[in-house]
């Protein structure tokens, strides 16, 4: 759908909150989004210049649009989340967490049994959870059964069957693990009290369980049953020890959810701590893949809604590392600066960082400290898979980097014999390209790198990896051809998401075996060029080498620029803000200067 075609239907889209769905020519759902005002949000896709190829590609594929009006922004947020979960559209954030979580079920039957299950059946039974680990659930059930005697048999304990004396006590009764409701030695009310203690333990509310046992101990003492009272005392001591280990920060905290995020490029990780009565009862980290320039705030909001829904959270307070626009106004969003809540947030950050680093270690291959033969085996394998004419003893990899759609730079890393050769790393300030043009930038830096190697009569790499797929590869090959280097080294493109490898001129991609050392080495090379490029970019920004794009506009000073960025976070977002909102913030004259600059910039592109 073109901008002109959209303008013909724009007036039919309401200025009300809701969700919108983009479909391609085959009727396949491409994207689901939410909006405070549907017409303004959808219009923005057809009236602005995007900084990434994927967003541009999405707009080109839109054939028709459907929308649903809802009563509030909160309803739109919840509906968007459920539709993404159900249909998993190609261009939406992908939460890569398809596990079936275990529950503890309290079966709907006389004297209910408790056991682990992964299937929720609509039979009236009570399901507690879900939990992140089946092993931990089994340990938890074993722990509970030490303190709460519940039956494990499958007998049909109806009142009629019990009165008829159909059942006899089993070994579990003699071991003290069951109070024998089968022979009417335990009442239904007493059994129900045990189930309530189970619920309290699962929710981290050990205080009420301990108080219950203290009352029971005193009752045994009054009856002079000191042996029984001593058994209960040992249970109390064990529970108090368990509680002191379980309460991470403070027993005075209410039920809260804690979230932290770690994001790099199009990959993000979110950690979730569910805290009840001062005890962490759940902890889980999930990877997410972003698709359309989503910010950390947007990714975190999406993950919070998904995880709270998956784990049936009822907490009315959410702790996060930065302010987010969370549409559910009944939820209190807290960014702690100190105290117990800050300690919990720090713990969540520690967990998400650990998860990310462990995942990286599993995915990449480190050859430092390996023998020469071990290194060569990996390189021989890579040569074999890619059908290279030479063993790739010398590999170079290029990547472009920019900040919020501005200030492009590029980086190149070099691996020799499978390990980083940091003296050969290079970074490039882009000289000949105006604005954000990844293809032109790649053409420039590849040309500069190999023109210099030729001039200095330095050895050329055996393998050159262009991070970014087909488009970037084509741009790099322009310089390779111009320098007459075709055939003198192998150049391939590496798609960012699927880890697909493209050769020049091939329509089909190639994938290295998912468990091969070759793929792990390629991942390490790619991750290293990302790290090096981002570090270079951050250093330049911290030294003030980059000026904010807004400050380059005549008539827009530093204070105005900072006010805009504080309100809207990025230049990209400012371009989408309605004119009347900008006027309220910075006045009519400065708004005109700003919009004239954006229009001129768009026209040049």
């Amino acid at each position: 759908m073109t901008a002109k075609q959209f303008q013909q239907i724009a007036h039919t889209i309401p200025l009300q909150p809701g969700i919108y769905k983009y479909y391609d020519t085959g009727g396949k759902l491409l994207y689901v989004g939410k909006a405070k005002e549907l017409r303004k949000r959808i219009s923005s896709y057809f009236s602005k210049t995007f900084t990434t190829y994927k967003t541009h590609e999405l707009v080109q594929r839109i054939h028709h649009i459907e929308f649903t009006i809802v009563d509030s922004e909160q309803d739109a947020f919840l509906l968007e989340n459920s539709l993404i979960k159900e249909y998993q559209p190609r261009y939406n954030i992908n939460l890569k967490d398809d596990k079936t979580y275990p529950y503890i079920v309290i079966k709907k039957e006389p004297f209910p049994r408790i056991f682990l299950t992964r299937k929720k059946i609509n039979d009236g039974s009570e399901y507690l959870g879900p939990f992140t680990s089946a092993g931990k659930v089994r340990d938890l059930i074993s722990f509970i059964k030490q303190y709460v005697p519940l039956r494990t048999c499958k007998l049909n304990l109806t009142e009629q069957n019990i009165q008829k004396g159909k059942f006899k006590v089993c070994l579990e009764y003699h071991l003290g693990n069951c109070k024998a409701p089968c022979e009417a030695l335990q009442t239904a009310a007493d059994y129900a009290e045990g189930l309530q203690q189970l619920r309290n333990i699962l929710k981290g509310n050990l205080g009420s369980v301990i108080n219950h046992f203290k009352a029971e101990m005193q009752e045994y003492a009054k009856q002079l049953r000191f042996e029984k009272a001593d058994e209960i005392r040992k249970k109390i001591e064990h529970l108090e020890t368990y509680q002191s280990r379980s309460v991470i920060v403070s027993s005075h905290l209410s039920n809260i959810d804690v979230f932290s995020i770690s994001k790099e490029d199009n990959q993000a990780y979110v950690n979730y701590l569910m805290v009840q009565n001062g005890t962490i009862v759940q902890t889980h980290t999930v990877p997410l893949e972003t698709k359309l320039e989503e910010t950390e705030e947007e990714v975190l909001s999406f993950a919070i809604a998904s995880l709270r829904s998956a784990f049936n959270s009822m907490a009315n307070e959410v702790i996060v590392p930065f302010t987010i626009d969370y549409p559910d106004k009944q939820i209190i969003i807290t960014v702690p600066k100190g105290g117990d809540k800050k300690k919990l947030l720090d713990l969540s950050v520690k967990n998400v960082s650990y998860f990310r680093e462990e995942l990286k270690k599993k995915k990449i291959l480190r050859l430092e400290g390996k023998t020469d033969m071990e290194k060569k085996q990996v390189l021989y394998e890579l040569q074999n898979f890619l059908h290279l004419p030479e063993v790739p003893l010398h590999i170079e990899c290029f990547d472009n980097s920019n900040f919020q759609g501005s200030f492009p730079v590029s980086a190149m890393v070099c691996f020799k014999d499978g390990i980083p050769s940091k003296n050969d790393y290079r970074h490039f300030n882009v000289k000949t390209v105006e604005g954000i043009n990844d293809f032109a930038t790649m053409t420039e830096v590849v040309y500069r790198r190999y023109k210099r190697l030729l001039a200095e009569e330095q050895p050329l790499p055996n393998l050159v990896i262009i991070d970014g797929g087909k488009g970037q590869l084509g741009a790099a090959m322009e310089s390779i051809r111009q320098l007459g280097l075709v055939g003198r080294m192998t150049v391939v493109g590496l798609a960012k998401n699927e880890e697909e490898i493209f050769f020049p001129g091939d329509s089909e991609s190639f994938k290295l075996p998912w468990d091969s050392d070759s793929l792990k080495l390629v991942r390490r090379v790619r991750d290293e060029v990302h790290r090096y490029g981002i570090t270079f970019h951050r250093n330049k920004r911290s030294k003030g080498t980059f000026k904010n794009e807004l400050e380059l506009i005549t008539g827009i000073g530093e204070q105005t620029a900072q006010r805009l960025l504080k309100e809207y976070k990025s230049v990209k977002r400012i371009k989408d803000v309605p004119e009347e909102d900008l006027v309220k913030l910075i006045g009519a004259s400065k708004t005109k200067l700003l919009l004239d600059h954006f229009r001129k910039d768009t026209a040049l592109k």
Side-chain angles (χ1 to χ4, degrees):
M1 181 180 290
T2 64
K4 188 174 181 180
Q5 289 171 325
F6 173 75
Q7 288 304 319
Q8 295 173 358
I9 64 167
H11 67 281
T12 66
I13 302 175
L15 288 166
Q16 294 181 47
I19 61 100
Y20 54 93
K21 294 182 280 187
Y22 294 153
Y23 292 87
D24 64 14
T25 52
K28 185 176 180 180
L29 183 61
L30 297 171
Y31 185 77
V32 176
K34 66 180 183 302
K36 293 180 183 179
E37 297 181 36
L38 283 165
R39 188 188 302 172
K40 285 186 177 180
R41 183 70 186 102
I42 297 172
S43 297
S44 69
Y45 281 86
F46 297 91
S47 60
K48 66 182 182 181
T49 302
F50 294 101
T51 59
T52 69
Y53 176 72
K54 279 199 170 183
T55 311
H56 176 74
E57 184 183 23
L58 167 64
V59 175
Q60 295 299 309
R61 292 188 178 206
I62 297 171
H63 177 262
H64 66 278
I65 302 168
E66 293 181 5
F67 57 84
T68 302
I69 301 170
V70 295
D71 292 330
S72 66
E73 185 187 358
Q74 177 184 342
D75 291 340
F77 179 74
L78 296 174
L79 181 56
E80 176 201 38
N81 212 276
S82 64
L83 289 172
I84 292 172
K85 185 177 180 181
E86 181 176 357
Y87 295 107
Q88 297 184 345
R90 176 177 177 180
Y91 288 91
N92 280 103
I93 296 172
N94 179 19
L95 194 152
K96 298 181 174 180
D97 191 37
D98 56 357
K99 296 177 183 175
T100 303
Y101 297 110
Y103 291 82
I104 291 177
V105 60
I106 301 177
K107 196 69 177 172
K108 186 182 181 183
E109 60 189 4
F111 299 95
R113 290 168 296 149
I114 66 160
F115 52 87
L116 181 150
T117 184
R118 290 183 184 271
K119 292 183 179 179
K120 287 184 74 175
I121 304 170
N122 191 19
D123 61 353
S125 299
E126 182 181 354
Y127 291 85
L128 304 173
F131 299 89
T132 55
S133 166
K136 288 180 181 178
V137 174
R138 291 189 184 95
D139 291 343
L140 194 54
I141 291 175
S142 297
F143 175 80
I144 290 168
K145 285 181 177 178
Q146 294 178 50
Y147 307 101
V148 185
L150 298 169
R151 73 172 178 125
T152 56
C153 64
K154 296 182 180 180
L155 300 176
N156 184 13
L157 298 186
T158 63
E159 187 177 349
Q160 186 179 12
N161 287 343
I162 294 171
Q163 287 177 352
K164 286 182 179 180
K166 285 190 172 185
F167 313 115
K168 296 295 180 183
V169 295
C170 65
L171 181 62
E172 289 294 300
Y173 170 74
H174 295 295
L175 292 173
N177 296 331
C178 178
K179 292 184 178 180
C182 58
E183 282 198 35
L185 298 180
Q186 182 182 25
T187 66
D190 185 65
Y191 195 92
E193 178 63 31
L195 290 176
Q196 186 54 46
Q197 301 312 317
L198 174 144
R199 294 185 186 95
N200 287 332
I201 291 173
L202 290 177
K203 293 177 180 177
N205 188 13
L206 296 183
S208 63
V209 180
I210 291 169
N211 290 335
H212 170 80
F213 281 130
K214 283 181 177 178
E216 195 174 334
M217 180 180 69
Q218 290 171 359
E219 187 62 32
Y220 281 129
K222 285 180 184 178
Q223 298 172 14
L224 305 181
R225 298 173 65 184
F226 299 116
E227 199 171 300
K228 271 286 186 183
D230 192 55
E231 286 180 17
I232 301 297
R233 180 187 62 78
K234 289 177 181 176
K235 287 184 178 182
I236 292 171
E237 288 179 354
H238 195 177
L239 282 169
E240 286 176 337
T241 303
Y242 176 81
Q243 184 181 41
S244 67
R245 283 197 229 107
S246 300
V247 177
I248 301 300
V249 179
S250 170
S251 59
H252 302 296
L253 287 174
S254 60
N255 295 345
I256 52 178
D257 289 335
V258 185
F259 292 90
S260 61
I261 184 172
S262 176
K263 184 175 183 294
E264 182 180 349
D265 297 329
N266 65 334
Q267 190 68 48
Y269 307 91
V270 172
N271 174 261
Y272 172 38
L273 301 180
M274 178 187 280
V275 181
Q276 295 183 346
N277 303 300
T279 301
I280 295 177
V281 296
Q282 299 273 21
T283 177
H284 192 43
T285 304
V286 294
L288 301 98
E289 183 184 352
T290 61
K291 303 292 181 66
L292 299 177
E293 308 175 58
E294 293 92 347
T295 63
E296 280 192 326
E297 293 89 342
E298 291 168 332
V299 176
L300 187 57
S301 293
F302 174 81
I304 289 173
S306 298
L307 290 168
R308 279 174 58 88
S309 172
F311 289 95
N312 302 316
S313 172
M314 301 301 290
N316 61 2
E317 182 177 8
V318 172
I319 292 176
V320 288
F322 45 75
T323 303
I324 60 172
D325 184 15
Y326 197 71
D328 189 346
K329 302 308 176 187
Q330 295 180 339
I331 303 299
I332 301 168
I333 302 296
T334 302
V335 183
K337 302 299 181 186
D340 293 342
K341 293 179 180 179
K342 181 63 166 62
K343 290 177 184 176
L344 277 172
L345 179 61
D346 291 343
L347 186 64
S348 179
V349 170
K350 186 182 292 184
N351 274 273
V352 77
S353 299
Y354 180 82
F355 180 89
R356 174 178 168 176
E357 291 309 310
E358 284 301 298
L359 209 59
K360 275 190 175 181
K361 287 177 184 177
K362 290 177 183 177
K363 285 187 172 183
I364 65 176
L365 182 71
R366 295 186 179 273
L367 293 175
E368 289 91 335
K370 302 291 184 182
T371 65
D372 186 61
M373 182 52 67
E374 287 173 321
K375 294 175 188 175
K376 289 283 178 27
Q377 283 177 343
V378 177
L379 298 175
Y380 287 144
E381 182 186 81
L382 184 59
Q383 179 190 17
N384 181 50
F385 282 138
L386 297 183
H387 302 289
L388 303 176
E390 300 174 307
V391 180
L393 300 174
H394 180 175
I395 301 172
E396 294 188 351
C397 183
F398 292 82
D399 184 43
N400 295 334
S401 177
N402 62 73
F403 177 65
Q404 296 180 343
S406 302
F407 316 121
V409 296
S410 285
M412 185 279 295
V413 297
C414 176
F415 276 58
K416 292 182 177 179
D417 296 327
I419 61 175
S421 176
K422 296 194 174 183
N423 288 337
D424 294 306
Y425 284 17
R426 296 291 182 270
H427 52 244
F428 302 87
N429 290 306
V430 181
K431 297 178 179 178
T432 63
V433 181
E434 291 188 9
I436 301 302
N437 187 328
D438 278 348
F439 296 161
T441 298
M442 188 60 73
T443 301
E444 177 190 322
V445 298
V446 169
Y447 183 86
R448 286 166 55 188
R449 168 63 177 168
Y450 296 120
K451 183 182 179 184
R452 180 156 190 167
L453 287 189
L454 289 171
E456 295 176 354
E457 297 183 351
Q458 295 292 319
L460 296 170
N462 309 112
L463 175 64
V464 177
I465 300 173
I466 306 298
D467 190 39
K470 275 187 180 180
Q472 300 277 26
L473 176 60
M477 288 306 297
E478 288 184 27
S479 293
I480 298 298
R481 283 189 286 268
Q482 192 175 348
L483 292 167
L485 294 177
V486 176
R488 294 182 63 182
M489 55 189 183
T490 301
V491 186
V492 299
L494 179 64
K496 286 182 179 289
N497 296 333
E498 304 297 330
E499 294 176 331
E500 297 172 292
I501 291 175
F502 293 91
F503 286 86
D506 286 0
S507 57
E508 297 295 324
S509 63
F510 172 79
K511 281 191 176 183
L512 292 167
W514 67 272
D515 58 347
S516 66
D517 285 342
S518 296
L519 179 57
K520 292 176 181 177
L521 176 60
V522 169
R523 281 174 178 158
R524 187 184 180 191
V525 173
R526 177 202 59 195
D527 290 349
E528 181 67 0
V529 78
H530 285 181
R531 182 201 64 77
Y532 186 62
I534 290 169
T535 302
F536 171 53
H537 212 289
R538 284 175 181 161
N539 289 341
K540 292 204 69 175
R541 295 205 308 272
S542 66
K543 292 175 183 176
T545 311
F546 292 146
K547 272 198 167 185
N548 190 289
E549 180 183 343
L550 301 176
E551 294 178 47
L552 301 178
I553 304 171
T554 304
I556 301 292
E558 183 180 352
Q559 288 187 347
T560 303
Q562 292 304 319
R563 193 183 312 160
L564 285 163
L565 288 173
K566 184 177 179 181
E567 181 71 22
Y568 299 113
K569 312 302 181 189
S570 73
V571 175
K572 182 176 77 69
R573 284 188 177 184
I574 293 169
K575 292 178 181 180
D576 300 336
V577 176
E579 183 175 349
E580 55 269 26
D581 291 350
L582 291 172
V583 170
K584 288 179 185 176
L585 184 66
I586 61 173
S589 60
K590 289 182 179 178
T591 297
K592 185 177 185 304
L593 293 172
L594 196 66
L595 295 179
D596 286 347
H597 170 80
F598 290 154
R599 292 188 192 107
K600 181 181 177 183
D601 189 46
T602 302
L604 288 172
K605 292 176 183 177

